[in-house]
Amino acid sequence: MTTDLPAIIAADYLPPLSPDLEELHRRSQETRRASKAKGTLRAYASALRSFDAWCRAHGLASLPAAPETVVLFVEAEARAGRKVSSIEVKLAAIRFMHLKAGHVPPTASQLVIEEMEGIRREIGVAPAKKRAATAALVADMLDHVPTDTLKGKRDRALLLLGFAGALRRSELVGLDVADLEIGTDGITLTIRRSKTDQEGAGHIIGIPNGAKLRPVEAVTAWLEAAEIDEGAIFRPIGKGCRLQPGRLSDRAVALVVKHYAAAAGLDVDGFSGHSLRAGYITTAAEHDVDLHRIMDQSRHTDVRTVRGYVRRTNLFRDHSGAGFL
């Protein structure tokens, strides 16, 4: 027997409550929804729709799902060319759904565990690396950004602030004017919430004025042209170059990066919203910046992640075989 699986995310399994407890119950639902990022809940809902559709197509129950059903689903996903990371998200969603509904998660079964161990060995878990938009590549992109249109000013500010702050795309579009403090040396930028700071402790980083790319100049030019003095920094622009209400989506960051990568004659498929963040780290490594100073800007919590960028950058520097190959 199947059900509306995404609805399980918001469901509660409680007896009828007295009127004086209804408000507390409503507030507790909001509090518990905040325990997971909105992006995670969206990913779970999408994964559950996929699982439900597959189960329906094969006449299998999705809630509660038998371990054998999950194993078959995982095998089908792998045969369809899904990445290990994508399959793992779907398994996490299935586990979450069963726990919410008061069932034992089938994902804890030894059958499912062994299936995933085999899938990881077959497919491999190395993520596909997107190309880093280094300072040189960002400069090439900027040559194709209009300087006399509102959209051009926004896109220039977005590319440069994303690069200079080594920002994740969700962090970039989540910025408000109140998060900027513009001084003589540059911008003091407060990042109130991020992937590694879900509880909102916040991070403060500096964005220097710069002598080459000049990110601060681009940001101030955009805010002045758009007459934005509060709320979201990056917003949609509609027909007739009219500023739209609301906040730019994180997906739009990837589209902007790809658009100007294509304009610069670069391979669009190699670029994503993450390219700006990766580009800053890579460029800093090329300039022999201390690893921990890079981490001050990127806010990575695991030094091994940043060391991976540095190692790729320095693959041929002082190579052990340089003297005899």
Side-chain angles (χ1 to χ4, degrees):
M1 177 180 177
T2 56
T3 186
D4 181 9
L5 300 188
I8 296 295
I9 289 177
D12 279 306
Y13 297 88
L14 295 172
L17 298 174
S18 60
D20 60 327
L21 291 179
E22 282 293 343
E23 178 62 17
L24 287 176
H25 176 53
R26 185 187 66 77
R27 289 181 177 274
S28 73
Q29 286 182 308
E30 294 176 359
T31 300
R32 281 179 282 119
R33 275 195 291 270
S35 69
K36 290 192 178 297
K38 291 180 180 178
T40 299
L41 293 178
R42 286 196 298 268
Y44 279 10
S46 175
L48 293 176
R49 283 192 292 268
S50 173
F51 180 57
D52 188 36
W54 185 88
C55 287
R56 287 176 185 273
H58 294 86
L60 298 171
S62 54
L63 184 69
E68 293 81 2
T69 296
V70 177
V71 165
L72 291 173
F73 175 69
V74 167
E75 191 67 29
E77 290 287 292
R79 297 312 126 210
R82 304 286 189 266
K83 297 178 182 178
V84 170
S85 58
S86 175
I87 296 173
E88 287 176 336
V89 169
K90 292 182 178 181
L91 287 180
I94 292 169
R95 177 182 182 276
F96 180 67
M97 172 189 68
H98 278 75
L99 288 173
K100 285 282 287 182
H103 297 295
V104 175
T107 53
S109 164
Q110 188 63 25
L111 280 175
V112 178
I113 292 171
E114 290 176 358
E115 173 73 10
M116 283 307 298
E117 287 175 350
I119 293 296
R120 291 187 185 97
R121 285 181 179 273
E122 284 186 12
I123 300 178
V125 296
K129 297 292 184 183
K130 289 297 184 178
R131 189 172 180 185
T134 60
L137 292 182
V138 169
D140 288 343
M141 293 182 192
L142 292 174
D143 285 341
H144 300 274
V145 180
T147 58
D148 58 349
T149 67
L150 193 63
K151 185 176 182 298
K153 292 180 188 297
R154 183 203 65 185
D155 292 350
R156 179 175 294 270
L158 185 145
L159 290 171
L160 285 172
L161 190 58
F163 173 79
L167 298 173
R168 299 176 177 88
R169 59 183 188 175
S170 59
E171 296 168 349
L172 184 57
V173 299
L175 291 172
D176 290 335
V177 174
D179 300 326
L180 305 180
E181 183 181 330
I182 302 176
T184 55
D185 295 325
I187 292 174
T188 299
L189 183 64
T190 300
I191 303 167
R192 302 193 182 278
R193 193 178 299 273
S194 68
K195 179 181 177 181
T196 56
D197 179 27
Q198 293 294 331
E199 295 183 0
H203 292 281
I204 297 177
I205 61 173
I207 307 293
N209 289 319
K212 297 178 180 179
L213 297 178
R214 303 194 298 277
V216 177
E217 179 182 307
V219 172
T220 54
W222 155 243
L223 292 176
E224 290 173 4
E227 299 180 347
I228 296 174
D229 54 16
E230 64 179 1
I233 293 176
F234 296 110
R235 308 180 186 189
I237 296 175
K239 293 180 180 179
C241 260
R242 292 185 178 180
L243 195 66
Q244 302 296 303
R247 192 178 297 275
L248 204 64
S249 71
D250 56 359
R251 185 173 181 273
V253 176
L255 295 177
V256 169
V257 172
K258 286 178 176 292
H259 174 79
Y260 292 108
L266 303 170
D267 178 14
V268 175
D269 291 338
F271 289 86
S272 71
H274 183 72
S275 293
L276 297 175
R277 178 172 168 80
Y280 178 91
I281 299 168
T282 300
T283 305
E286 290 173 348
H287 286 75
D288 295 320
V289 176
D290 178 76
L291 187 66
H292 291 92
R293 291 297 292 160
I294 297 175
M295 292 177 68
D296 285 343
Q297 193 76 351
S298 69
R299 294 152 287 110
H300 277 98
T301 56
D302 190 340
V303 70
R304 292 173 297 182
T305 304
V306 182
R307 191 173 283 136
Y309 287 98
V310 176
R311 183 179 180 279
R312 287 193 297 275
T313 301
N314 295 331
L315 277 177
F316 297 99
R317 184 178 296 182
D318 297 324
H319 195 283
S320 59
F324 57 84
L325 292 178

